Amino acid sequence: MNLGELAGIANDSEVTGFAIDHRKVVRGNVFGAFRGSRFNGEDFIGEAIANGAVAIVASPDAKVEGVPHLAADEPRKLFAELAARYYAPYPEVVVAVTGTNGKTSTVEMTRQMWRMAGHRSASIGTLGVTTADDQVTTGLTTPDIVTFLNNVAGLKKLGISHVAYEASSHGLDQYRAEGVPVRAAAFTNFSRDHLDYHPDMDAYFAAKMRLFDEVVEPGGTAVLWTADPKSGQVIEHAMKRGLNIITVGPDAETIALVSRAPTPLGQSLVIRFGGKEYKLSLPLIGAYQAANVLVSAGLVLATGGEWAATLSAMGRVAPVRGRLERAVISRAGAPVYVDYAHTADALEAAIEALRPHVEGKLITVFGAGGDRDAGKRAPMGEVAARLSDVVIVTDDNPRGEDPALIRSAIMQGASGATEIGGRREAIAEAIRLAGPKDIILLAGKGHETGQIIGNKVFPFDDAKVARECAA
Ligand SMILES: CC(=O)N[C@H]1[C@@H](OP(=O)(O)OP(=O)(O)OC[C@H]2O[C@@H](n3ccc(=O)[nH]c3=O)[C@H](O)[C@@H]2O)O[C@H](CO)[C@@H](O)[C@@H]1O[C@H](C)C(=O)N[C@@H](C)C(=O)N[C@H](CCC(=O)O)C(=O)O
Ligand SMILES: Nc1ncnc2c1ncn2[C@@H]1O[C@H](COP(=O)(O)OP(=O)(O)OP(=O)(O)O)[C@@H](O)[C@H]1O
Ligand SMILES: N[C@H](CCC[C@H](N)C(=O)O)C(=O)O
Ligand SMILES: [Mg+2]
């Protein structure tokens, strides 16, 4: 494809790909020069051209000499549109999920349910790119636009027809996942997170609403969890765009969750659909996992799924790595669960999921990530202290911060908690304390296999460490 065809200008330079990092530019690439949080990409335009860039996508006031300047007030958006044209074609069915918590679980369960219906499917998100045969990590929840388009186009080449991806607020704000027609978009919930990046909760919410305002295709479908206080506003955004609407939740119109009762190995649900009630035995514990499964079902229905097959698929979903994963049972007989709760709302959901299964004490071990929203730390401490019987505050990924200061911010909210810095020592102590009727929750790191201290990553996997400490 040449630049003229791609950008609608008179230029026959051959385009060989797209890059947003000048160090990755090779001859024939289009370079996107963006103003970021650490660098101004425009400072690298000269070097990108020297490396062989044939055009630059940048702000109208950027300085570009020698190759066409494709200018736009929102250069990331223009770049995404052009790159999407270049990397096409994509799988026929693509859906996206946003929300503070539950994105990874929902895309992963949607992938599983499509597969059970006979489709070749994939998910893209915090766990990486997952297909029936493979899982490859990308490092970010919503990868950068070039990686994203390459991955989605690569899935098409592999014969995959159905893809569900996570649209994080950072990703939406930075136009990291655009240009691929999105048939349906789901909203799981909204609560505090990422206020290190977004100026306030309104800005955080607005970033998420781009999914419904701009990203989902005209005539597409919005799938909404209606028990969230923000769902009414999301419906307004969806209606403004004229989208089809599928509602899911306790009082929802499309899929209503009539009742829910915990069972030893999962939960038993009564669901209403099309005026009829159905019983469903779900092999996962916790209200939050039921919510995510039902939203996934909404996405499957939105993309042509039959109700009977979808209902049967819900009963067969496999657990998602690091989301209420039972890692081991201690020698004393206490089950140890690993969960990715890293917001106050998620901690509450994880603790409440385990509570019906605890006869003795619920012991919660958690911390908070460094260089991330500091305002969520005390509220996380408060939730853990209020809902658990024993709380141990430890380190998560301190990154560039002093771990003692992160712990002390959590301790401000966590009255009566014990503080043990080393995560392995904290896990060992919880296991030492637990009796046969107790349950241990290790929250915050879920599937992660490393602990980021400074700018180094040290091997650390909560489930593995729990097994070692329990041995
Ligand atoms: C704050 C943030 O989101 N930053 C992301 C963002 O960086 P940025 O646009 O601000 O980039 P920058 O480093 O200031 O550089 C500006 C531009 O100059 C370019 N550059 C820079 C240096 C150079 O030598 N040459 C060059 O060309 C860069 O490629 C970039 O285009 O775009 C980069 C490329 O896409 C990301 O790698 C980077 O993620 C950082 C590392 C990060 O930690 N992000 C986290 C917070 C994140 O995005 N998390 C979300 C949410 C998680 C969730 O809730 O699930 C996620 O989706 O993962
Ligand atoms: N529907 C939900 N409601 C409340 N809490 C939830 C819900 N789904 C998941 N959680 C909590 O959030 C944690 C993370 O879940 P998941 O990874 O699916 O969310 P995510 O939105 O992908 O998170 P991230 O922002 O890190 O990508 C879970 O381990 C659980 O504690
Ligand atoms: N254990 C993690 C969870 C982070 C989740 C991630 N999605 C983010 O906030 O970027 C941390 O805070 O380091
Ligand atoms: Mg995720």
Side-chain angles (χ1 to χ4, degrees):
M1 196 182 276
N2 71 38
L3 191 58
E5 292 168 277
L6 199 69
I9 55 171
N11 187 303
D12 59 7
S13 303
E14 187 64 19
V15 173
T16 58
F18 281 68
I20 60 168
D21 183 323
H22 85 277
R23 292 160 295 194
K24 293 189 182 159
V25 171
V26 295
R27 184 148 303 283
N29 281 185
V30 174
F31 177 62
F34 311 136
R35 293 169 190 165
S37 49
R38 290 170 302 168
F39 296 97
N40 180 357
E42 294 167 12
D43 295 341
F44 308 108
I45 290 175
E47 283 169 87
I49 295 172
N51 290 346
V54 290
I56 306 295
V57 180
S59 258
D61 51 359
K63 216 167 142 255
V64 180
E65 279 167 5
V67 299
H69 177 182
L70 309 175
D73 291 335
E74 195 42 86
R76 290 179 194 260
K77 189 161 197 264
L78 175 61
F79 183 87
E81 284 162 11
L82 297 173
R85 218 172 285 163
Y86 177 82
Y87 289 104
Y90 306 106
E92 298 83 271
V93 176
V94 176
V95 304
V97 178
T98 200
T100 303
N101 297 305
K103 300 180 294 297
T104 296
S105 308
T106 303
V107 297
E108 178 47 21
M109 294 191 294
T110 304
R111 178 193 74 77
Q112 291 184 26
M113 287 162 65
W114 275 332
R115 176 167 157 79
M116 289 183 233
H119 303 296
R120 297 194 61 188
S121 55
S123 63
I124 299 181
T126 313
L127 296 176
V129 182
T130 308
T131 62
D133 320 303
D134 209 3
Q135 187 159 64
V136 182
T137 48
T138 61
L140 287 167
T141 286
T142 307
D144 71 82
I145 180 76
V146 178
T147 308
F148 175 77
L149 293 172
N150 252 317
N151 283 339
V152 184
L155 290 168
K156 165 81 178 171
K157 290 193 188 91
L158 286 175
I160 302 269
S161 58
H162 286 59
V163 175
Y165 76 86
E166 278 187 57
S168 69
S169 60
H170 296 75
L172 286 162
D173 192 52
Q174 297 165 18
Y175 300 87
R176 284 190 212 158
E178 308 271 324
V180 174
V182 171
R183 290 250 185 118
F187 167 79
T188 56
N189 50 63
F190 183 74
S191 64
R192 184 190 175 119
D193 201 3
H194 303 312
L195 294 194
D196 52 322
Y197 179 84
H198 303 287
D200 53 36
M201 289 295 276
D202 288 343
Y204 175 35
F205 186 69
K208 292 203 171 294
M209 287 309 101
R210 272 205 64 242
L211 182 60
F212 301 92
D213 298 341
E214 297 172 34
V215 178
V216 67
E217 67 185 8
T221 303
V223 178
L224 311 155
W225 175 251
T226 55
D228 190 274
K230 280 283 193 187
S231 64
Q233 269 172 266
V234 185
I235 290 181
E236 283 171 25
H237 282 261
M239 292 198 358
K240 230 183 192 165
R241 274 292 301 292
L243 303 175
N244 305 304
I245 294 175
I246 290 183
T247 55
V248 186
D251 304 307
E253 260 177 48
T254 321
I255 309 178
L257 175 57
V258 177
S259 68
R260 195 185 71 78
T263 58
L265 294 176
Q267 49 196 313
S268 137
L269 311 182
V270 175
I271 299 168
R272 192 168 47 243
F273 178 81
K276 277 200 196 144
E277 289 198 352
Y278 300 85
K279 266 199 157 160
L280 167 65
S281 166
L282 195 67
L284 306 170
I285 64 168
Y288 91 73
Q289 303 218 79
N292 296 338
V293 172
L294 292 172
V295 172
S296 305
L299 285 170
V300 173
L301 294 179
T303 51
E306 304 269 335
W307 172 250
T310 307
L311 181 69
S312 141
M314 282 193 269
R316 290 178 284 141
V317 288
V320 180
R321 173 91 231 271
R323 276 67 181 166
L324 288 175
E325 171 185 347
R326 199 168 77 189
V328 67
I329 297 180
S330 76
R331 282 197 184 178
V336 183
Y337 284 87
V338 169
D339 188 77
Y340 200 46
H342 51 78
T343 66
D345 230 46
L347 255 184
E348 181 162 354
I351 295 172
E352 279 179 350
L354 293 173
R355 185 50 84 184
H357 302 272
V358 186
E359 286 176 54
K361 296 190 296 291
L362 201 160
I363 305 173
T364 301
V365 180
F366 78 104
D371 301 330
R372 292 288 184 274
D373 187 358
K376 69 179 174 180
R377 295 171 187 168
M380 287 173 75
E382 189 277 320
V383 162
R386 178 163 49 84
L387 302 174
S388 323
D389 302 299
V390 177
V391 174
I392 301 179
V393 173
T394 186
D395 295 337
D396 189 291
N397 293 309
R399 299 192 177 86
E401 287 192 61
D402 176 355
L405 293 180
I406 302 176
R407 291 195 305 272
S408 106
I410 301 171
M411 291 295 286
Q412 302 278 319
S415 67
T418 305
E419 185 181 332
I420 303 177
R423 197 166 176 96
R424 178 181 287 272
E425 290 69 44
I427 293 172
E429 176 62 7
I431 290 175
R432 196 188 62 75
L433 286 174
K437 297 192 164 156
D438 301 343
I439 284 188
I440 299 170
L441 167 64
L442 310 178
K445 291 183 53 63
H447 62 281
E448 293 176 359
T449 53
Q451 186 177 28
I452 311 167
I453 304 175
N455 48 21
K456 288 212 180 84
V457 185
F458 298 87
F460 200 101
D461 176 335
D462 274 1
K464 191 162 164 265
V465 172
R467 286 192 282 271
E468 287 163 6
C469 293

